[in-house]
Structure formats: structure tokens, C-alpha cells
Amino acid sequence: MIAGEGAHAVRTGVTAVLPRGREGVGVPCAAAVHAFNGNGELTGRAWIDESGSLSMPIGITSSHAVGAVHSGIDSWVAQIAPHVAAQWMLPVVGETWDGYLNDINGGHVTPADAWSALEAASTAAPAEGNVGGGTGMNCYGFKGGTGTASRTVAYGGAEYTVGVLIQANFGARDELRLGSIDLGARSSAPNPMGDDDWFARERRQHAPGGAGSAIVVIATDAPFLPGQCAALARRGALGLGRSGTAGSHFSGDIVLAFSTANEGALTSQFPEGSDEVYETMRLIPWGRIDPFLTAAVQAVDEAVWNALVAAQDMTGRDGHRSLALPHDEIRAAVDESRGV
């Protein structure tokens, strides 16, 4: 959603994730949440913590648009899955702050935008960079946004996927590292969020470097219990840290992990009849999950870099400008480290 200029420039949007697709809305997935730093919002977490499950769509957007997206998901589900809406709905909506580039208090995101994002969701490779909820975001003092990555893990004669989507809006410029290379500190690119203290100039407050937030979604088709999803979610913080962040107090870095295996388990519906029923779940043994945890760390790290590399320069609210990570600097730094 890119529109207008000046004080009311719109640089924002909505990203939607349907864990089991359109036809699977209301069907639970094993799930868990890890708040590496809790200065942020992810609705529906209390129910995920209680039940170990997630059965609703996921929305990711701007900090001040959570309510509109929540309402949009509710109304969309009521339209396409009225049997789900007939009981209760607890959508999961996460946010990061885009107020540097976007008129964040302008109420530009509406429930209809959440509808549009849900209707557009598909199995195709997601777009990255300045798209969806990541449209107006910044990362390590460069233009940030939406990033994705995945890894495959072989186990028991099958091949499973660990996929990641991140809305990257975190990190101070001087923290950014590519392996052993202090890429941020050596960058010659202007850092309008750090070199020019716009927050102090406009609002008489100082914004510490690294403020922003990250929402990370980790999905797998491997059969995991809710507690194993929690272990997967905790590795999301390690994946973020690989690019250098120490986790600013002003950055709400929240990770949601879910498994699409075990369809038909973890249900919670009003009872029908008087029969007592049981549910069963298949799982990867705890002693065999290390390759999946490694895959999560690697994919989160790569998703951050994909968000940075795919992002493009953007001018937004009041002429604020965010510059993309210079690709030539990355190539030059890697060549130098290799002695090329």
C-alpha cells in the first residue's frame, strides 16, 4: 500500500499466512510462541499457550493497524468458514512499527486490506522486500521488509520442510554482521535513522538504535508436538542474532512456530453427543529434532538477509528516506575477506 506524499504518506500493508490454506481454516496446527523481547504485539497468544494449537489465519501489519486486521480476519472467516465463526475466533495478528516512513496514526489500513491479503494468499513463492506488512519497515538502518527462506530435512524416509517468513524491522546499523564482517560499521551508505536524529528533531525525544521489531513465522510439515514447536520458536532468536542484533529493548521480537502435521488432533469444539473420544499425534522423537532446529536457525538468518537484499530505496512520510542495503558493498566486503 503506497500512496501520497508529505505528512500523510502511506507506506504500509498487510501480510497474510493461511497455515492450512483456505480450506483448512479452523483446523488446528500444533503451535507455540516465543517472545525474545516482548515490546510488541501478537494477538491470540493466550490461546496458543493454553491449547498448544493455532487454527486461524495469521496477519502481520503495522503497529497501529492490529485492530483493523483482526477485524478483517474475523469477517473474512465468517464469510468463507461460517461453521468456524459460529463458535469463536481468535486471529493471530503481529506488528512492527513503520512510523518513520508511514503515516502510522492515519488509520490507512482497513479490514478490507486484510481481506485482500487473505484472498491473495497462495502456495506460490512469496514476494519479498517492500511488500505487504513489510512495505514501510527498516532493518539495521537500511530499508527492511518481508523476507522468506526454507530448508529441507530428511527423516524416516521422508523429506520435511522448515519454512520461515519474517517482517524485518530491527537492528542498529553498527550491529549488522555478515559472518565475521562488520558490514554495518563499514558501510558508507547514509543512515537517516541514525546519523540524522529525526526523532529528536521532530518529537524532542531520542530514538535508540535498534528500535523497531521483528515478527518471525516458522512453519514445518514435520510432526511436532506443541512443546517441540516451542523449541523451534526459541531458535528464531538465534537466527536473528546471526546477523548481529543484540535485541534492543525497544524491539519487540516475537516468533511463532507451527506444524501442519497431525491434522485432526488438538481440536477444541463444543461436544457433540455423549461419546468419549481420544486424539492421537505422531511426532519426531525429541532426541532426533536437532536437524530441524538447525534448519530453523539457518532459515531465519537467511530470511533476514533476503528481506534486506530484496528491499528497495523508499521515500515516505515528510520526505523521510530509507536506503536499501548496497549490493556492491556486500560483494566488495566478501571479496576483501577472501583476499580476492
Side-chain angles (χ1 to χ4, degrees):
M1 186 188 303
I2 299 176
E5 303 295 338
H8 302 296
V10 181
R11 305 289 188 270
T12 193
V14 182
T15 297
V17 178
L18 300 175
R20 293 192 184 277
R22 186 186 181 100
E23 302 303 318
V25 171
V27 179
C29 296
V33 175
H34 173 64
F36 172 53
N37 186 59
N39 198 341
E41 175 68 281
L42 188 77
T43 70
R45 181 182 176 180
W47 177 241
I48 294 172
D49 290 346
E50 175 74 17
S51 67
S53 69
L54 163 73
S55 59
M56 292 288 285
I58 301 163
I60 315 175
T61 188
S62 165
S63 297
H64 297 180
V66 171
V69 174
H70 194 285
S71 177
I73 294 175
D74 276 344
S75 60
W76 183 81
V77 172
Q79 176 70 30
I80 66 105
H83 63 289
V84 175
Q87 296 196 24
W88 68 88
M89 295 182 287
L90 296 170
V92 175
V93 183
E95 54 75 33
T96 64
W97 189 86
D98 57 11
Y100 174 69
L101 289 168
N102 177 50
D103 177 23
I104 194 170
N105 294 318
H108 302 290
V109 175
T110 68
D113 296 313
W115 270 68
S116 296
L118 290 160
E119 287 292 317
S122 75
T123 57
E128 296 178 306
N130 306 357
V131 296
T135 297
M137 302 303 168
N138 297 278
C139 187
Y140 289 112
F142 295 105
K143 184 67 187 70
T146 301
T148 65
S150 65
R151 295 291 187 274
T152 57
V153 179
Y155 182 84
E159 186 173 78
Y160 297 106
T161 300
V162 177
V164 168
L165 183 145
I166 184 171
Q167 187 161 293
N169 189 55
F170 66 95
R173 172 68 64 85
D174 60 4
E175 290 182 312
L176 181 61
R177 298 177 62 86
L178 179 60
S180 61
I181 305 169
D182 290 324
L183 195 63
R186 65 184 289 166
S187 176
S188 61
N191 180 9
M193 297 187 69
D195 301 334
D196 175 14
D197 196 344
W198 63 276
F199 212 90
R201 184 180 66 250
E202 297 178 9
R203 306 184 185 183
R204 298 181 181 178
Q205 293 176 312
H206 173 65
S213 291
I215 295 293
V216 181
V217 178
I218 304 175
T220 185
D221 57 352
F224 271 26
L225 296 175
Q228 294 174 316
C229 290
L232 205 64
R234 289 193 295 271
R235 269 58 184 189
L238 293 178
L240 292 176
R242 283 195 168 189
S243 55
T245 183
S248 167
H249 165 72
F250 294 100
S251 182
D253 304 323
I254 303 174
V255 187
L256 166 66
F258 65 83
S259 166
T260 59
N262 290 304
E263 183 173 345
L266 297 172
T267 59
S268 176
Q269 299 174 334
F270 295 149
E272 296 180 2
S274 59
D275 291 341
E276 295 179 347
V277 298
Y278 294 91
E279 293 177 350
T280 60
M281 294 183 68
R282 187 167 176 255
L283 68 143
I284 302 289
W286 274 100
R288 300 291 187 271
I289 69 170
D290 280 356
F292 297 91
L293 304 181
T294 299
V297 174
Q298 292 177 351
V300 171
D301 180 34
E302 183 183 334
V304 172
W305 286 103
N306 286 343
L308 285 166
V309 170
Q312 298 178 343
D313 296 351
M314 178 174 284
T315 300
R317 179 182 67 80
D318 292 325
H320 290 176
R321 187 158 175 78
S322 184
L323 303 179
L325 179 70
H327 294 191
D328 57 345
E329 283 193 351
I330 301 175
R331 297 187 186 97
V334 172
D335 286 346
E336 181 180 328
S337 71
R338 293 174 174 173
V340 176

